[in-house]
Amino acid sequence: MSEHSTQFEASGGGLVLANAILLYRNQAPRNLKPYGASCESGPAFASFHAVEHDGDGRPTIAAGVPLSRAHLRQWTEALGRTVVPEILPDNILVAHPDMLAWWSPAQVRHAYFALSAPPAGLRALSGRTTLPVPYPAHLFIATRSGLGVYALAASERPNAATPVLHSPVLNVFVNGRLCWGNIPRPKALSTASIPAYESAVFDSWSTHPNPGQELTVSGKGGLVRLWDDLAARRATRFPVSRLKPFGSRGGQQNRPQAKAAVAAKITVASLISMSARV
């Protein structure tokens, strides 16, 4: 076994390598494996091993036994003791190592517009400008794969059954995912990163609607002219009645979670469930 440092600095004393879990998967010989076949669909096995140390402290993995639920419970509880308890703000809906979901109330924010091909007749957004506009309440779902951005009809804490609307933010795709571009991504999936996530949504330059995004609002003029009207008349409230339910727009959906949304009204609970599988 290669040389390892088996001592770790930790509060309350050093940590010593005590156990190992080995994962096995059934895999066909390389020359018999069908092209493009995934080994992840085959059977798997896991074994649990003690780690023995010789006189010099070098570790060796001893014989093992099949991994059991009791082993998993034991180590899950032990690892959970290293998590620092955290008081969650009222706007947090889900706080999980692989997902963070929260909401923000409707409010007027400064927006940054630099439309690459502004349509004729715009009153406020024909050139590069920064000006206050009203935003509806928003739902955010951050996972390891990205950030989902959605609008809410009411400016109040949503519950599991609250319907979700398409966000009118121009940097959001019709599947709800933020278009990051060259925006720096937060390094941690934690409540401390919420300001950085929201800044990526609201403090970046809006240059154009993403494909199909004009179809996410009802009424005449589309999304760009709606923003232009709100900015020109210094509106203080976003007309949420213009936003379509998430997943109800016309055209082709381009993400699995959006495809599932076509036939049914998407709620906060169902969207969180779908996001967990992405």
Side-chain angles (χ1 to χ4, degrees):
M1 187 171 183
S2 60
E3 293 293 332
H4 287 78
S5 172
T6 60
Q7 302 291 330
F8 303 89
E9 293 297 325
S11 58
L15 297 177
V16 179
L17 184 60
N19 294 98
I21 296 175
L22 301 184
L23 305 176
Y24 303 83
R25 188 180 297 280
N26 186 21
Q27 187 172 9
R30 188 179 299 272
N31 62 332
L32 297 180
K33 185 177 179 182
Y35 178 77
S38 172
C39 64
E40 294 184 359
S41 60
F45 175 78
S47 57
F48 185 78
H49 303 255
V51 174
E52 300 173 347
H53 300 265
D54 63 16
D56 295 324
R58 290 176 296 192
T60 301
I61 296 177
V65 297
L67 181 68
S68 68
R69 293 183 183 274
H71 294 135
L72 294 176
R73 284 195 298 268
Q74 173 192 354
W75 280 97
T76 298
E77 292 174 1
L79 292 170
R81 297 186 196 109
T82 65
V83 178
V84 178
E86 181 180 12
I87 297 177
L88 298 177
D90 291 340
N91 64 324
I92 302 298
L93 304 176
V94 176
H96 182 274
D98 294 320
M99 178 185 292
L100 184 66
W102 72 99
W103 78 286
S104 67
Q107 57 191 289
V108 174
R109 303 173 182 265
H110 274 84
Y112 304 81
F113 291 97
L115 299 178
S116 54
L122 295 184
R123 295 182 291 163
L125 306 185
S126 57
R128 185 182 179 95
T129 184
T130 302
L131 70 179
V133 293
Y135 284 91
H138 266 77
L139 167 71
F140 306 91
I141 302 178
T143 64
R144 302 293 177 186
S145 63
L147 177 65
V149 184
Y150 316 90
L152 300 169
S155 186
E156 60 188 27
R157 181 183 175 90
N159 57 39
T162 300
V164 178
L165 309 174
H166 279 285
S167 171
V169 176
L170 293 186
N171 282 352
V172 177
F173 288 109
V174 292
N175 60 13
R177 310 292 281 184
L178 177 67
C179 177
W180 287 92
N182 60 358
I183 305 171
R185 298 192 182 213
K187 298 184 181 300
L189 193 63
S190 66
T191 57
S193 299
I194 286 178
Y197 278 115
E198 292 195 8
S199 179
V201 175
F202 299 117
D203 298 337
S204 56
W205 288 95
S206 295
T207 57
H208 61 278
N210 283 301
Q213 200 176 11
E214 289 282 11
L215 300 175
T216 63
V217 296
S218 60
K220 297 181 179 180
L223 189 55
V224 168
R225 293 192 184 279
L226 173 58
W227 279 121
D228 182 66
D229 175 66
L230 295 173
R233 59 186 177 85
R234 301 289 180 174
T236 59
R237 180 174 298 182
F238 190 95
V240 292
S241 61
R242 296 279 305 273
L243 299 177
K244 293 183 180 180
F246 180 72
S248 66
R249 73 168 191 91
Q252 182 70 29
Q253 303 289 344
N254 58 359
R255 294 284 291 197
Q257 68 181 52
K259 289 180 180 179
V262 175
K265 181 178 293 186
I266 294 298
T267 64
V268 171
S270 57
L271 188 58
I272 287 175
S273 178
M274 286 188 288
S275 299
R277 298 195 295 268
V278 174

